[in-house]
Amino acid sequence: MRLSINWLKDFVDLTVSPAELADRLTLAGLEVEALEEMAPDFSGVVVGRVTRVEPHPQADRLQVAEVEDGRATYRVVCGAPNLSAGKLYPFAPLGAVVSGGRKIKAAKLRGVASEGMLLAEDELGLSSDHIGLMEIPQDLPLGRDLAAALGLADVVLEVAVTPNRPDCLSVLGLAREVAALLNQPLRHPEVIVAEVAEPAHPLARVTILDPVGCPRYAARLVLDLTVGPSPFWLRRRLQLAGLRAINNLVDVTNYVLLEFGQPLHAFDFQKLNRGEIVVRRPKNGERYFVTLDDQERPLTPETLLICDGDKPVALAGVMGGLESEVTGATRQVLIESAYFDPGTIRRTAKRLGLGTEASYRFERGVDPEGIIHALERAAQLMAQVGGGRVLAGRLDVYPHPIQRPRVSLRASRANAVLGTNLPQEEMHRLLHRLHLPAVKRDADTLEVQVPPFRGDLEREIDLIEEVARLAGYDQVPVTLPKGALATRRPGPEARLRSEARHLLLGQGFFEAINYSFQSERVQGLLGEEEALRLANPLSEEQALMRTSLLPGLLDTLRRNHLKQIQDVRLFELSKVFAPMAGAELPREEQWLTGVISGAREENSWLAAKVPVDFFDLKGVVETLLQGLLIPEVSFRGDGLPAYLRQGARIYSRDQELGVLGEIAPQISEKLDLEGPLWAFELNFQTLAAAAEPFPLFTPLPRYPAVYRDIALVVPAEVPAARVAQELYYHGAPWLVEARLFDVYAGPPIPGDKRSLAFRLSYRDPEKTLTDEAVNRHHEALVKALAEELGAELR
């Protein structure tokens, strides 16, 4: 928000310099990012009066004027078409300097001496206008320095207004803050609307069909207007605020927007069918709307429209329509001043990518009670600069008035939060300076009726912040925090996550952190089910919420390969989002996913380069699950997902944990990757539920183990993990380890069978086992395996 100090002085008397004011505003939470001094680009120019005008004897397009400045009379040759006797104009006598540093000297024009120069706006560096002499107020003191008379020397503050303070997006709002900081009274512009007897109703009518999207809509009708350039003072203030002057009628709406923070719109009333304004959503068949910038905008059922009796004429709170805009032929104007639902305007502006000064304020929230004051001000100015007649009575539809809350403030609580010792009376005075009416409820409590222009005040802590702002943050004493500090002990799942990361990092993996949002290209790598689509994605590359971590990791692996990094081990532990039928929000699950590709080890002169294979991947997963204390892990090769060429499903007892295997070749081709890719996916929530508690301490064994080797011939389809599972089950409680050390298939073993050799370790923690006891236990174990698996001793 660009704030002119001269404009600010219309509202409040300043007792400090602009630089000090900038510091005070910044300390109060309204950061001043820049301070710009606006000095005129000329000197020596005064207010002159043309007393007589005569034709130039040698030139048809030139005239000879007699100009006085209160001290002397000068002859000036001028060719401006609006030169007129008796009027005041900017006059540069000899020696004056105009825009561009040009010094005025005596000259002869077509044989007539000219002793100075009457100036246009471009010659003063005030605009690019060179149509005629600059029109200035006719009540300026004769001979007065023009820059001082017009107040051209100014200072502009660039104020960064936070999103929760839309009331400060206006001169009035900032003046309210300045008045509170300086403890000065706040002045409001005098608004007097001179109405004619003719009523505005029934010439114009307003109907709100969507009171949620538009709780209040007010309008004024002004007739017999003349469109032309705005007076200089109006254009100057718009220019300093960063807005371009258009014409007197449109400039008035922009001026009031800056002055009061209320966006307005001027409709050419003669272009509104039946003189109606209807606020509604689009009808069936209304799919596009052409805005003032001559762009066709798509409409959705959520878009709020301002319509006449037949068709849309504006996007509510965002931009007007091309067909109803004010043009040079406009003679009748309907001024709109409304309050729109901030969320509705925000979504429309975001969807269309159309940010305007109006939408910027509406989406943050304007004062619903201030729209009438702004409307009256606009009607007053429009009649003043456009020469129109304001019809009697304003149109104001407000079906359900918006109620603002009452908020209590406890002085004891405020002092406890701030570390201060302010009395209740001082807090009452500070709130009063901020125009927050407070009444004393008891010895400790104030009750504040929140005014409609402060939509950010909802809770007690908000009022405490207001007290701190105005009292001065620099007045809050520096105190050390008191109290016992303790950190929460991480839960089992947090410890498990940390352990999983350490185990994978120890096996040469790097952790990847990808966005939770993916493109359709990445999401479709695995042929996954439909993903949840974002309503307002940051970009098309982040339009879908991921349903698996694997596509993102594969894309990261692809980018590594493009950088000539072939040996890659990556993992990610994060959330995925699975859509649920009939639910607005997806189901969130934690997954642990990893990918590996390239060589098993780094290149070395000692050994040839060997690519990773299934057993490398399986070893990684087994080491991970063993470190996480996942009991009775087994692998089964049935029911693999389509994106795996080969692999296995991972189980703990009968609970499925995930899958591992080789990525299908067609996926590698999509990624332009050569060589096999291996991956594992583990449902981390299921993993956490299956994990055994971390042992605190296990004493070293006091008694020796007894070892037995056993070679079993089993059907080929029986996995080794199943045999190990049965060994542990039937070998309990003495069997502490069953380690597979040999697998053999071939003669003399039948073709549909294979031999699995295990080394068994037996130990009793209470005593030394004898050979006789171990042999009896071992024989019972072999017998049980024969019955369960059809196993035979080799």
Side-chain angles (χ1 to χ4, degrees):
M1 173 73 190
R2 289 176 59 85
L3 175 65
S4 161
I5 292 295
N6 286 346
W7 199 349
L8 179 66
K9 289 177 180 177
D10 290 349
F11 291 82
V12 60
D13 293 327
L14 300 184
T15 57
V16 296
S17 67
E20 185 177 346
L21 178 62
D23 291 338
R24 298 279 289 271
L25 284 171
T26 299
L27 289 174
L30 293 165
E31 182 185 1
V32 177
E33 297 179 326
L35 184 150
E36 185 179 358
E37 294 188 2
M38 312 298 293
D41 191 24
F42 59 87
S43 63
V45 179
V46 299
V47 177
R49 176 185 289 115
V50 175
T51 57
R52 189 171 62 183
V53 177
E54 297 176 348
H56 192 289
Q58 302 297 328
D60 295 338
R61 297 186 178 181
L62 297 178
Q63 299 181 83
V64 180
E66 188 176 274
V67 181
E68 62 175 357
D69 64 359
R71 293 178 291 275
T73 301
Y74 309 88
R75 176 187 292 179
V76 177
V77 178
C78 179
N82 62 333
L83 179 64
S84 179
K87 293 187 66 176
L88 300 179
Y89 296 103
F91 173 60
L94 299 180
V97 178
V98 297
S99 180
R102 184 160 63 96
K103 189 174 183 179
I104 301 300
K105 300 177 181 179
K108 278 191 176 184
L109 298 176
R110 293 290 184 92
V112 178
S114 184
E115 302 170 326
M117 188 174 181
L118 295 170
L119 302 171
E121 288 186 11
D122 66 329
E123 293 162 332
L124 293 166
L126 300 177
S127 75
S128 59
D129 183 11
H130 193 72
I131 296 176
L133 298 178
M134 178 180 176
E135 298 285 349
I136 61 175
Q138 296 301 299
D139 56 353
L140 297 180
L142 184 64
R144 179 83 183 274
D145 182 82
L146 183 70
L150 294 179
L152 297 180
D154 202 349
V155 176
V156 175
L157 305 182
E158 188 78 40
V159 184
V161 180
T162 54
N164 66 318
R165 293 299 307 272
D167 59 300
C168 290
L169 292 171
S170 65
V171 179
L172 173 61
L174 290 172
R176 192 183 290 120
E177 291 288 309
V178 171
L181 291 172
L182 303 181
N183 197 15
Q184 294 291 315
L186 179 69
R187 296 186 295 271
H188 289 266
E190 185 179 16
V191 178
I192 300 175
V193 180
E195 298 180 326
V196 297
E198 184 181 357
H201 188 274
L203 287 177
R205 295 183 299 277
V206 172
T207 304
I208 298 178
L209 298 182
D210 185 358
V212 174
C214 177
R216 188 175 193 181
Y217 193 102
R220 274 281 195 181
L221 188 55
V222 186
L223 307 183
D224 300 333
L225 291 161
T226 301
V227 177
S230 297
F232 173 75
W233 64 267
L234 177 54
R235 288 185 283 119
R236 176 68 173 174
R237 287 190 168 178
L238 293 180
Q239 178 189 28
L240 293 179
L243 295 185
R244 177 177 60 89
I246 299 173
N247 61 53
N248 52 351
L249 306 187
V250 176
D251 290 349
V252 163
T253 62
N254 289 332
Y255 182 87
V256 176
L257 174 141
L258 295 171
E259 188 174 45
F260 291 159
Q262 171 64 46
L264 305 172
H265 187 69
F267 294 102
D268 188 325
F269 184 67
Q270 291 175 301
K271 297 177 182 177
L272 299 180
N273 290 340
R274 297 193 294 276
E276 284 187 276
I277 287 290
V278 181
V279 186
R280 60 172 173 82
R281 306 284 176 163
K283 295 179 180 178
N284 291 334
E286 291 179 342
R287 300 177 58 190
Y288 295 97
F289 176 72
V290 180
T291 48
L292 280 171
D293 55 359
D294 200 17
Q295 297 294 314
E296 193 173 63
R297 311 286 180 178
L299 302 179
T300 65
E302 194 181 33
T303 307
L304 189 66
L305 297 175
I306 309 299
C307 308
D308 61 13
D310 298 324
K311 63 186 183 304
V313 293
L315 294 175
V318 180
M319 185 177 282
L322 187 64
E323 293 186 6
S324 61
E325 70 171 330
V326 172
T327 66
T330 299
R331 294 294 176 266
Q332 302 178 1
V333 164
L334 182 81
I335 308 172
E336 167 196 280
S337 183
Y339 176 84
F340 299 114
D341 172 57
T344 300
I345 305 305
R346 186 183 307 114
R347 288 188 291 271
T348 298
K350 175 71 174 176
R351 180 179 58 81
L352 296 175
L354 186 60
T356 62
E357 290 286 344
S359 68
Y360 188 79
R361 288 163 172 79
F362 276 128
E363 66 190 26
R364 286 161 174 76
V366 299
D367 178 4
E369 303 302 324
I371 69 172
I372 298 301
H373 192 49
L375 178 65
E376 299 297 273
R377 176 67 163 161
Q380 173 197 25
L381 291 176
M382 201 167 287
Q384 175 184 329
V385 302
R389 299 181 298 116
V390 182
L391 269 58
R394 59 175 174 263
L395 309 175
D396 184 11
V397 181
Y398 198 9
H400 307 293
I402 298 172
Q403 302 298 324
R404 294 298 300 156
R406 289 179 177 270
V407 181
S408 296
L409 173 64
R410 294 165 292 169
S412 58
R413 174 61 179 162
N415 284 320
V417 171
L418 300 176
T420 56
N421 193 26
L422 295 172
Q424 186 193 52
E425 292 75 15
E426 177 64 15
M427 295 184 187
H428 185 277
R429 283 194 293 271
L430 293 175
L431 293 173
H432 180 74
R433 282 164 57 182
L434 285 166
H435 297 263
L436 300 176
V439 295
K440 186 175 180 180
R441 202 166 67 186
D442 55 45
D444 187 49
T445 307
L446 296 172
E447 189 172 74
V448 177
Q449 174 62 60
V450 178
F453 59 82
R454 289 301 301 271
D456 60 310
L457 302 181
E458 298 177 343
R459 302 171 297 165
E460 183 180 35
I461 194 66
D462 298 327
L463 295 178
I464 294 174
E465 181 184 5
E466 293 302 298
V467 170
R469 282 196 321 113
L470 201 54
Y473 290 125
D474 54 339
Q475 300 302 313
V476 177
V478 178
T479 56
L480 293 175
K482 299 178 182 179
L485 301 178
T487 58
R488 287 187 59 187
R489 188 180 184 88
E493 190 169 329
R495 294 199 301 271
L496 206 66
R497 280 197 297 268
S498 177
E499 186 65 21
R501 288 188 171 97
H502 284 301
L503 288 166
L504 288 170
L505 291 171
Q507 297 185 77
F509 279 75
F510 288 89
E511 184 174 7
I513 301 176
N514 289 308
Y515 286 112
S516 297
F517 311 129
Q518 295 180 338
S519 66
E520 291 188 7
R521 175 188 63 83
V522 173
Q523 179 68 25
L525 283 176
L526 308 184
E528 291 286 326
E529 67 223 21
E530 184 66 26
L532 190 68
R533 181 174 292 276
L534 299 180
N536 294 305
L538 296 174
S539 70
E540 286 303 315
E541 288 296 308
Q542 297 178 331
L544 303 177
M545 299 193 76
R546 63 186 177 190
T547 57
S548 169
L549 302 179
L550 186 53
L553 281 177
L554 290 174
D555 195 52
T556 304
L557 187 146
R558 177 187 65 84
R559 290 197 295 272
N560 277 274
H561 278 222
L562 291 175
K563 303 288 186 182
Q564 306 302 315
I565 303 173
Q566 306 296 327
D567 304 333
V568 181
R569 295 191 177 206
L570 297 171
F571 78 92
E572 184 170 7
L573 175 54
S574 191
K575 287 183 179 181
V576 300
F577 307 88
M580 295 189 297
E584 292 185 4
L585 298 177
R587 184 178 70 255
E588 299 183 20
E589 297 178 346
Q590 287 271 355
W591 281 76
L592 174 58
T593 303
V595 294
I596 60 175
S597 71
R600 179 177 298 158
E601 296 177 349
E602 290 185 6
N603 257 347
S604 170
W605 60 273
L606 289 172
K609 188 173 183 179
V610 179
V612 292
D613 58 20
F614 175 79
F615 295 103
D616 292 295
L617 178 67
K618 184 170 178 285
V620 166
V621 174
E622 285 178 325
T623 303
L624 172 66
L625 298 181
Q626 182 181 4
L628 297 179
L629 301 182
I630 307 299
E632 301 181 31
V633 175
S634 61
F635 299 86
R636 305 175 192 174
D638 56 337
L640 293 177
Y643 57 82
L644 291 183
R645 179 184 186 181
Q646 57 176 322
R649 290 193 173 274
I650 310 167
Y651 289 84
S652 171
R653 298 190 177 98
D654 292 327
Q655 178 67 54
E656 183 176 348
L657 303 178
V659 296
L660 79 165
E662 181 186 2
I663 299 296
Q666 61 267 27
I667 296 176
S668 300
E669 291 175 5
K670 289 181 182 178
L671 295 168
D672 292 328
L673 296 176
E674 297 180 358
L677 308 177
W678 306 90
F680 67 85
E681 289 189 290
L682 295 168
N683 188 317
F684 200 78
Q685 288 162 287
T686 307
L687 207 67
E692 294 180 340
F694 282 97
L696 299 179
F697 173 71
T698 302
L700 294 174
R702 297 177 58 190
Y703 302 99
V706 178
Y707 299 98
R708 294 286 186 271
D709 290 344
I710 182 173
L712 300 171
V713 177
V714 296
E717 67 271 11
V718 176
R722 174 73 191 285
V723 178
Q725 183 180 359
E726 295 297 331
L727 283 170
Y728 281 112
Y729 180 75
H730 294 289
W734 293 346
L735 184 63
V736 294
E737 184 182 17
R739 183 167 58 85
L740 179 69
F741 67 86
D742 184 59
V743 178
Y744 175 74
I749 298 174
D752 59 345
K753 295 186 178 183
R754 61 177 176 167
S755 171
L756 303 176
F758 291 87
R759 166 155 288 197
L760 308 181
S761 301
Y762 295 100
R763 179 184 282 120
D764 189 326
E766 303 295 334
K767 62 181 182 295
T768 300
L769 294 173
T770 64
D771 283 341
E772 289 183 2
V774 172
N775 289 339
R776 285 195 303 271
H777 194 78
H778 189 71
E779 289 171 1
L781 171 63
V782 172
K783 184 178 179 181
L785 292 175
E787 293 175 357
E788 292 286 340
L789 303 176
E792 301 173 358
L793 283 176
R794 180 178 171 188

